[in-house]
Amino acid sequence: DIQMTQSPSTLSASVGDRVTITCRASQSISVWLAWYQQKPGKAPNLLIYKASKLETGVPSRFSGSGSGTEFTLTISSLQPDDFATYYCQHYNTYSVTFGQGTRLEIK
Amino acid sequence: QVQLQESGPGLVKPSQTLSLTCTVSGGSISSGDHYWNWIRQPAGKGLEWIGRIYTSGSTNFNPSLKSRVTISVDTSKNQFSLKLNSVTAADTAIYYCARVTGLYALAAFDIWGQGTMVTVSS
């Protein structure tokens, strides 16, 4: 089974900062990776799919990159609404695997 | 605009079967290349994919849960369902249903239900 490992587990940052979250796969997954944002008490919300494609309606300050085994989610300038938990997710024809999550908190 | 809504008992006794239904509104469950998924999240923890069903009835499951899970679809009611048997306290979680749209399920979860809390306790 493919394992997804996110880092860091917790990230402290300030409004206006540029932040990067990393997701590593235990084996190559090509570009079959998504990123989600989840706020307390809410379902996750899709931000990025196919490693770098921005979901419709998601602000352009969010971007994704990577292929193979290493991927990143970057928020170019943090806004107050961005403090949340972020999950990466690998998907393929047979299964789905989530990373353990990265909690983005206010410094 | 398609929406998903989970429903089912909020309390299940240990060793019994957890049963949930996801109702699809605003669109047909059998149109397009849609895969219908169940995901769960214990309180304060991460997301765990349980499994999915295609409208043809074909299924895929998380290997760690496969032996206890059944997912079915009822196109006449525009619903799909989850059954998880022999539950324990470790199955206590928020359960979400979600949609994937894409050939061979090579796509992310674009629509989620709001989630329903299920507690396993006697």
Side-chain angles (χ1 to χ4, degrees), chain B residues 9 11-21 38-42 48-51 61-72 81-95 118-120:
Chain B
L11 181 64
V12 181
K13 291 184 179 349
S15 80
Q16 294 192 342
T17 297
L18 180 159
S19 296
L20 296 174
T21 296
W38 289 99
I39 302 103
R40 69 182 184 178
Q41 185 173 36
E48 180 180 36
W49 178 69
I50 299 170
F61 300 108
N62 183 325
S64 69
L65 297 168
K66 184 176 182 177
S67 64
R68 299 195 290 133
V69 174
T70 302
I71 298 177
S72 58
S81 298
L82 168 70
K83 292 189 186 298
L84 179 66
N85 59 36
S86 304
V87 296
T88 70
D91 296 309
T92 295
I94 297 171
Y95 285 74
V118 178
T119 301
V120 178

Side-chain angles (χ1 to χ4, degrees), chain B residues 6 33 56 59 91 94 114 122:
Chain B
E6 305 89 349
D33 283 319
S56 66
T59 53
D91 296 309
I94 297 171
Q114 65 185 27
S122 54

Side-chain angles (χ1 to χ4, degrees), chain A residues 2-8 20-35 48 50-52 63-74 88-90:
Chain A
I2 296 173
Q3 308 300 319
M4 306 302 296
T5 303
Q6 285 182 237
S7 60
T20 298
I21 299 169
T22 298
C23 182
R24 290 186 173 86
S26 59
Q27 63 189 75
S28 177
I29 59 170
S30 184
V31 292
W32 304 119
L33 186 103
W35 291 96
I48 301 285
K50 210 172 178 182
S52 62
S63 63
S65 66
S67 66
T69 62
E70 187 154 336
F71 302 84
T72 58
L73 172 71
T74 299
C88 65
Q89 175 215 20
H90 164 54

Side-chain angles (χ1 to χ4, degrees), chain A residues 6-10 21 85-88 98-103, chain B residues 46-47:
Chain A
Q6 285 182 237
S7 60
S9 296
T10 305
I21 299 169
T85 300
Y86 293 84
Y87 292 93
C88 65
F98 288 96
Q100 81 276 19
T102 294
R103 183 184 172 207
Chain B
L47 300 162

